[in-house]
Amino acid sequence: MVVLSQPLNLDNIPQIKTCKPASNIFTVIPVVDLSDPNAKHLIVEACKEFGFFKVINHGVSMEFLSKLEAEAVKFFKLPQQEKDKSGPPNPFGYGNKKIGINGDVGWVEYLLFCTNPEVISHNANAAVPGIPETLRCLVNEYVCAVRSMACEVLELIADELGIVERNALSRLIKDEKSDSCFRLNHYPPCPDQLQALSGRNLIGFGEHTDPQIISVVRSNNTSGLQICLRDGRWVSVPPDQTSFFLNVGDSLQVMTNGRLRSVKHRVLADSLKSRVSMIYFGGPPLSEKITPLASVMEEGEESAYKEFTWSEYKKSAYKTRLGDNRLGLFEKSAAQ
């Protein structure tokens, strides 16, 4: 689905980074069928090597996904002054090109939702104003579905890693105090601007890792998502609107003492078509200590990270730029 909205104004174009087009397509993307008895092994192997995989047979209907996408498109097609009534993000709400508070910008507009009803009821800033009720209800339904999928994946990971408590990971995002959030991103097409960039791609959302435990991504059939491999090469991920892509977050990397890899990723703007993506970020409660799980560790193995709470890491992460090595500050080697 293409959003035929008015183009975003170009005031920040000089600040938006560009990059050389990646010539490599990610042709060996791990694909996991959740109904496969071997799914847990495939997931963990993918998380070790890439920190990223595609999920099929996930149980979420395409009809429902299409409804949510259509409502998101309807919002992003509104006149700019109408969309601005749902912002500025604080941190929840409508944002336009500015990503965070530290100077990062991208060719993107977005809606960021808090997914914790308790937080919303006690904090007026967590409730996004001006959102149509239809869209709000579909977002709530979607979050329930993908949270369930994320929990299933985390329990399969626990099984494969031999973690004694099967819900050791999933309980953190099931918790009523889970600090999770949901984001709708819209990357408008920008053919004229791209032609002026001498063959370079305009970056929609700059390279970063996700600080949470796990992220669940779904997009329309427009390309743009790229991940960084271990050797530093960027590869393009072919879009698939019928499937979900899951990312390992920094917190899961720490909880497995580096066994599972948090993946660096970015999104490039397309010259002809708009990209609409929806991301659920599964985070733990703010007070949760993020430390390697004892049942993952081998005898005599030491933690590679200093102990910290999710609140401490979140505050630290949001003080940095997108591309910074956020976990570096919490690696034990950094203090030596």
Side-chain angles (χ1 to χ4, degrees):
M1 183 179 293
V2 176
V3 182
L4 301 175
S5 61
Q6 297 178 350
L8 300 178
N9 72 62
L10 310 183
D11 295 343
N12 286 337
I13 278 285
Q15 302 173 37
I16 298 176
K17 293 181 179 179
T18 63
C19 66
K20 294 180 181 179
S23 58
N24 300 308
I25 303 296
F26 193 22
T27 56
V28 293
I29 179 171
V31 179
V32 178
D33 182 338
L34 287 183
S35 65
D36 184 346
N38 198 38
K40 62 183 181 180
H41 176 72
L42 296 174
I43 289 171
V44 168
E45 288 304 303
C47 291
K48 287 179 177 179
E49 179 61 26
F50 303 110
F52 180 87
F53 58 96
K54 180 162 83 170
V55 165
I56 61 174
N57 282 337
H58 42 70
V60 184
S61 78
M62 267 305 297
E63 181 182 3
F64 172 68
L65 293 174
S66 297
K67 283 182 181 178
L68 175 54
E69 184 182 321
E71 286 300 316
V73 165
K74 191 184 298 185
F75 175 86
F76 289 123
K77 285 175 67 175
L78 290 172
Q80 190 61 51
Q81 62 268 29
E82 289 299 311
K83 293 184 286 190
D84 286 341
K85 293 177 182 178
S86 297
N90 188 30
F92 305 107
Y94 172 77
N96 181 352
K97 293 193 293 292
K98 294 182 179 179
I99 303 170
I101 59 174
N102 301 305
D104 289 297
V105 294
W107 189 251
V108 64
E109 59 179 341
Y110 65 87
L111 280 169
L112 183 63
F113 297 86
C114 175
T115 63
N116 187 323
E118 183 179 338
V119 172
I120 295 172
S121 65
H122 291 90
N123 183 354
N125 290 331
V128 182
I131 300 298
E133 191 60 27
T134 302
L135 176 57
R136 194 181 299 277
C137 289
L138 286 169
V139 165
N140 291 339
E141 189 177 345
Y142 178 87
V143 166
C144 287
V146 293
R147 181 195 293 123
S148 177
M149 184 200 313
C151 287
E152 181 181 357
V153 166
L154 290 172
E155 288 171 2
L156 289 170
I157 289 173
D159 288 344
E160 181 67 11
L161 292 179
I163 297 172
V164 177
E165 295 182 21
R166 190 170 192 260
N167 70 342
L169 299 169
S170 62
R171 68 173 179 81
L172 299 176
I173 60 175
K174 285 181 180 177
D175 194 297
E176 62 180 13
K177 294 184 178 179
S178 163
D179 185 42
S180 299
C181 57
F182 174 70
R183 186 178 185 115
L184 286 168
N185 286 335
H186 170 225
Y187 304 91
C190 45
D192 296 336
Q193 295 83 347
L194 284 180
Q195 288 175 11
L197 292 171
S198 302
R200 295 176 66 87
N201 287 126
L202 195 67
I203 292 180
F205 209 107
E207 63 181 74
H208 64 287
T209 60
D210 294 336
Q212 292 88 354
I213 297 171
I214 197 165
S215 306
V216 183
V217 184
R218 187 262 172 187
S219 77
N220 63 356
N221 260 351
T222 300
S223 61
L225 177 62
Q226 296 187 332
I227 68 168
C228 187
L229 303 182
R230 285 183 180 273
D231 61 8
R233 286 183 300 132
W234 285 96
V235 292
S236 296
V237 178
D240 181 353
Q241 64 182 1
T242 67
S243 303
F244 290 89
F245 296 91
L246 277 74
N247 302 346
V248 172
D250 295 342
S251 295
L252 186 54
Q253 177 171 318
V254 173
M255 296 179 79
T256 59
N257 209 30
R259 286 167 174 77
L260 307 189
R261 172 177 172 256
S262 179
V263 63
K264 185 178 288 187
H265 53 287
R266 66 187 182 189
V267 176
L268 307 185
D270 190 277
S271 60
L272 299 175
K273 298 185 293 183
S274 65
R275 175 179 168 89
V276 177
S277 62
M278 43 196 79
I279 312 102
Y280 169 75
F281 301 95
L286 289 170
S287 59
E288 186 70 27
K289 288 183 179 180
I290 307 299
T291 187
L293 298 171
S295 54
V296 170
M297 308 282 274
E298 296 179 1
E299 186 175 349
E301 182 180 352
E302 294 187 2
S303 170
Y305 307 93
K306 294 173 278 189
E307 187 178 282
F308 53 89
T309 64
W310 167 241
S311 177
E312 290 168 338
Y313 187 58
K314 181 180 178 181
K315 287 176 182 176
S316 174
Y318 288 107
K319 288 179 182 176
T320 63
R321 299 293 297 266
L322 271 178
D324 290 345
N325 177 14
R326 296 160 169 169
L327 267 183
L329 297 173
F330 295 86
E331 293 172 354
K332 283 189 174 177
S333 59
Q336 296 172 354

